[in-house]
Amino acid sequence: MGGNDHHNLEDIQMKVIHEFSKTLEMFGLSMADSRLFVTLYLHPSPMTLDEMSSALGKSKTAMSTGIRNLSDQGLVERVWKKGVRKDLYTSTTNLYKTFMTSYIQKWQTAVAEQEKELSAVEGQMKENFKGCVKQMEKDEAVLLQERMQEMIHFHTRLLKALQSLQPAP
């Protein structure tokens, strides 16, 4: 492969990294973590932190932080290779399943937490409004309680919808 061909391939690879990183940012990854993931995904073999640092022009510390973030989300894993003393990392390869599972789990956690908080507020509201004497306050309390129940029901339905989106194993 000639020098010009190699340069064109590098340019295309950088464009691919840049463009696919934008997609991954929609899943809540930072730009730096997205670029690191795509770099690992495109690389034909596991990479060391030094190789990642060189490929992305970032510090080894930044790569270590990025790997930790990606590893916490199950997007990369450390691998062992005989005769290599440095840690090697590789990306997961099932993009759809990995990202959808991670994203759906984040949403499920957030929705469940919100549902729990709204239920707690509803309980407080019932206690606080037992002593309402004025009809106007009672009417407002009833409306607020109805709306709270609708919000809680919304979260319950949202959780069920998210569960139905889980990718098949």
Side-chain angles (χ1 to χ4, degrees):
M1 187 183 279
N4 200 23
D5 290 341
H6 181 70
H7 181 68
N8 288 338
L9 183 59
E10 283 181 9
D11 287 346
I12 291 170
Q13 186 170 357
M14 291 309 294
K15 286 179 184 176
V16 169
I17 291 169
H18 178 75
E19 292 304 322
F20 194 61
S21 292
K22 290 179 191 176
T23 300
L24 300 185
E25 288 174 39
M26 293 188 306
F27 287 89
L29 292 181
S30 69
M31 181 173 41
D33 288 351
S34 296
R35 292 176 60 82
L36 177 56
F37 177 84
V38 177
T39 299
L40 283 167
Y41 184 76
L42 293 176
H43 203 271
S45 59
M47 297 176 76
T48 66
L49 292 174
D50 290 325
E51 290 170 329
M52 293 175 230
S53 176
S54 175
L56 292 169
K58 302 288 182 188
S59 72
K60 190 173 172 180
T61 302
M63 295 300 96
S64 180
T65 301
I67 285 294
R68 193 173 326 110
N69 294 341
L70 294 172
S71 181
D72 289 348
Q73 296 182 55
L75 301 175
V76 299
E77 60 186 6
R78 186 168 41 181
V79 295
W80 180 83
K81 190 173 179 183
K82 187 176 181 175
V84 178
R85 289 178 173 239
K86 293 183 177 186
D87 290 336
L88 293 165
Y89 299 91
T90 189
S91 68
T92 57
T93 55
N94 188 338
L95 294 176
Y96 178 78
K97 181 180 176 188
T98 301
F99 279 94
M100 288 301 289
T101 299
S102 175
Y103 195 66
I104 289 169
Q105 285 174 348
K106 285 180 189 178
W107 269 69
Q108 285 174 324
T109 300
V111 170
E113 183 62 29
Q114 285 304 115
E115 183 180 39
K116 184 176 105 179
E117 292 297 324
L118 286 170
S119 293
V121 170
E122 181 185 38
Q124 291 172 348
M125 183 182 68
K126 286 178 182 178
E127 282 298 313
N128 290 340
F129 292 139
K130 280 183 181 177
C132 288
V133 179
K134 297 179 185 173
Q135 185 61 42
M136 191 169 135
E137 284 180 348
K138 287 181 182 178
D139 292 344
E140 287 178 17
V142 167
L143 178 61
L144 183 57
Q145 186 174 4
E146 288 173 0
R147 296 291 193 222
M148 289 287 295
Q149 289 171 348
E150 290 171 8
M151 291 175 193
I152 292 167
H153 182 67
F154 167 79
H155 284 80
T156 302
R157 290 183 64 197
L158 187 54
L159 275 173
K160 286 181 183 176
L162 289 167
Q163 288 169 347
S164 73
L165 292 175
Q166 285 285 3

